Amino acid sequence: MSKAAWLEASLRVFAEATDLRMRHRVLLDLPTSCVAYPLYLHELLQSTLASARIHPDPHIRRWATAADHKGV
């Protein structure tokens, strides 16, 4: 599996997962820098970030804050 395919699959798993532990696990390996994602994934990344920013879990919100801080 290519890195881009892995990133896309991870973003989709985060978006679709209802299990909080699964979402945490996915975020542990996702980069917080926009440049780490191919251009074709930026829309999916932005959607993931929007969801993470308003998530009730503080760990998930911190991930979004880290991504925002690095200029995403």
Side-chain angles (χ1 to χ4, degrees):
M1 177 181 281
S2 72
K3 182 178 179 180
W6 180 86
L7 289 170
E8 181 175 5
S10 295
L11 289 170
R12 293 192 186 284
V13 166
F14 178 84
E16 296 170 8
T18 57
D19 182 73
L20 187 58
R21 289 177 294 165
M22 175 64 78
R23 285 183 152 199
H24 284 177
R25 181 64 188 111
V26 169
L27 288 184
L28 285 174
D29 293 324
L30 281 176
T32 56
S33 173
C34 184
V35 298
Y37 298 83
L39 286 176
Y40 77 92
L41 290 179
H42 283 200
E43 186 175 325
L44 181 57
L45 174 61
Q46 291 305 316
S47 172
T48 300
L49 285 169
S51 171
R53 284 182 196 112
I54 62 171
H55 197 278
D57 183 74
H59 176 74
I60 293 174
R61 288 194 314 272
R62 276 194 297 272
W63 178 83
T65 300
D68 287 338
H69 180 33
K70 291 184 179 184
V72 171

